[in-house]
Amino acid sequence: MYAQMVKSEATLEDPEKLAAFQARIDAGEKIEPKDWMPAGYRKTLIRQMGQHAHSEIVGQLPEGNWITRAPTLERKAILLAKVQDEAGHGLYLYCGAETLGVTRDEMTEMLLDGRMKYSSIFNYPTLTWADMGAVGWLVDGAAIMNQVPLQRTSYGPYARAMVRICKEESFHQRQGYDIMMKMAKGTPAQKKMAQDALNRLWFPSLMMFGPSDAESTHSEQSMAWKIKMNTNDELRQKFVDQTVPQAEYLGLTVPDETLAWNEDKGGYDFAEPDWNEFFDVLRGNGPCNTERLAARNKAWDDGKWVRDGMLAHAEKRRIGKVAAE
């Protein structure tokens, strides 16, 4: 439906402008905010950047409740810094999306009423400290796999935002892997906890790349516009190939009995996630969907007085400036 809508919008636009725009994309040029762009290109970017920003913000929630429960002061400080990084990533992405003509308030309202989504992984609970390791290792690892190619995406503000985000995400992944190493080399109980976290978060991490290419409604056009640089299945395969040896080094077992090295393709064969579960979570039926949106709605409502105060102050300054002129 979305792809059909984008195509129908494109038919209303000047064919010469569309052809010239695509030629710029094909030549590897960056599109900037003041440049002409098709309505579908703008809509696709708003959807992708908005949902990316929401994922960074909602992603603070499953980690934030472990800050006070981290096992040492050092771990508390590291996790606090990581959560602050995620807030910054959300800020960069909201600012980037605002260059497309949508406000942060509008994007937030679309999140709260269900018109925009966030990564399905954040609708799963973090039950133990080992989950902080698995989130850093697997979830941030999958995020990096998605985001490194976006440094070459065609929209300039998005590509530039991703440079710093990817640098910080790489530290997050290392922090998570460090936790997993400590636990895997710790007591039998600690190693069991690490294995349990891997068991629960492995397939939800694979879902982070989105549905299979056959089911993806956005990929073809997004790749033509170079908003997206790789297909979902390509990134998922790359993630598995990178992560399985890391699990083996830890002495942990990836929870997939079908996992096997395929010499012909130079990568692993692996089981697909349960896509029925994936779409069910997207529809709002995951373990923590209600909790996550309730937290964001509360934050939005509790912050109203701050927004109102800032708007009133800005208006007062505007009136004062006009009067002085």
Side-chain angles (χ1 to χ4, degrees):
M1 179 63 72
Y2 181 86
Q4 291 175 345
M5 181 178 68
V6 169
K7 288 179 181 178
S8 66
E9 287 176 341
T11 61
L12 301 177
E13 293 174 314
D14 186 338
E16 291 186 4
K17 282 187 175 182
L18 290 171
F21 179 83
Q22 189 61 52
R24 291 187 64 193
I25 297 292
D26 295 341
E29 294 183 30
K30 288 286 185 280
I31 307 301
E32 299 299 339
K34 292 184 179 180
D35 294 343
W36 182 88
M37 64 188 73
Y41 180 85
R42 187 183 302 274
K43 277 190 174 183
T44 298
L45 276 169
I46 289 173
R47 176 186 60 81
Q48 183 168 321
M49 294 178 72
Q51 292 181 179
H52 191 167
H54 297 328
S55 297
E56 299 285 357
I57 298 302
V58 176
Q60 298 175 96
L61 298 174
E63 294 179 306
N65 67 14
W66 277 97
I67 292 172
T68 58
R69 296 184 287 164
T72 67
L73 179 60
E74 181 182 28
R75 290 294 184 188
K76 287 178 171 63
I78 292 170
L79 186 57
L80 178 60
K82 181 185 178 185
V83 171
Q84 289 175 318
D85 281 350
E86 306 296 5
H89 298 173
L91 177 62
Y92 306 150
L93 292 162
Y94 283 134
C95 289
E98 285 180 315
T99 66
L100 293 161
V102 62
T103 69
R104 199 172 317 178
D105 283 2
E106 288 171 333
M107 286 183 282
T108 300
E109 288 165 358
M110 285 189 277
L111 167 68
L112 299 181
D113 66 19
R115 284 177 290 157
M116 270 191 175
K117 305 294 183 182
Y118 54 88
S119 180
S120 61
I121 188 70
F122 300 121
N123 288 311
Y124 291 85
T126 47
L127 303 177
T128 71
W129 174 249
D131 288 20
M132 293 299 94
V135 165
W137 172 35
L138 300 176
V139 176
D140 292 321
I144 291 170
M145 199 66 68
N146 264 318
Q147 293 169 8
V148 165
L150 292 177
Q151 295 174 100
R152 297 180 285 111
T153 194
S154 61
Y155 189 56
Y158 197 12
R160 290 188 287 271
M162 294 316 304
V163 174
R164 178 168 180 172
I165 290 174
C166 287
K167 288 179 180 178
E168 293 177 349
E169 290 289 5
S170 69
F171 280 101
H172 299 172
Q173 184 189 30
R174 294 174 193 179
Q175 173 255 354
Y177 196 68
D178 180 66
I179 292 174
M180 296 299 277
M181 281 199 296
K182 294 292 192 298
M183 301 199 75
K185 295 177 181 179
T187 66
Q190 288 173 321
K191 184 172 183 179
K192 183 178 179 181
M193 193 182 296
Q195 181 64 60
D196 175 65
L198 172 57
N199 291 347
R200 287 183 286 103
L201 291 174
W202 173 253
F203 283 109
S205 296
L206 296 188
M207 294 176 191
M208 286 181 65
F209 299 98
S212 65
D213 292 345
E215 297 291 329
S216 179
T217 58
H218 306 302
S219 289
E220 183 179 357
Q221 182 61 74
S222 292
M223 291 187 69
W225 280 329
K226 294 186 180 179
I227 293 174
K228 188 174 180 177
M229 308 304 291
N230 301 91
T231 72
N232 298 347
D233 289 340
E234 287 172 351
L235 292 172
R236 194 168 8 255
Q237 180 70 59
K238 189 175 180 181
F239 174 75
V240 172
D241 292 344
Q242 174 182 287
T243 307
V244 170
Q246 295 171 351
E248 292 173 348
Y249 179 81
L250 292 173
L252 301 178
T253 302
V254 172
D256 180 356
E257 294 180 356
T258 71
L259 187 70
W261 179 258
N262 185 323
E263 193 66 41
D264 292 337
K265 74 176 183 181
Y268 287 93
D269 292 329
F270 58 94
E272 290 284 314
D274 182 346
W275 293 118
N276 289 328
E277 177 183 325
F278 171 75
F279 287 112
D280 201 37
V281 172
L282 286 187
R283 285 191 290 267
N285 300 319
C288 297
N289 288 69
T290 301
E291 178 184 339
R292 301 294 185 238
L293 280 180
R296 293 311 308 151
N297 272 282
K298 184 177 186 302
W300 180 249
D301 293 341
D302 289 350
K304 184 177 185 303
W305 70 274
V306 178
R307 297 192 300 276
D308 290 346
M310 292 179 70
L311 288 170
H313 178 66
E315 179 64 13
K316 183 177 179 181
R317 292 191 63 181
R318 186 190 69 81
I319 293 172
K321 185 177 180 180
V322 171
E325 292 174 349

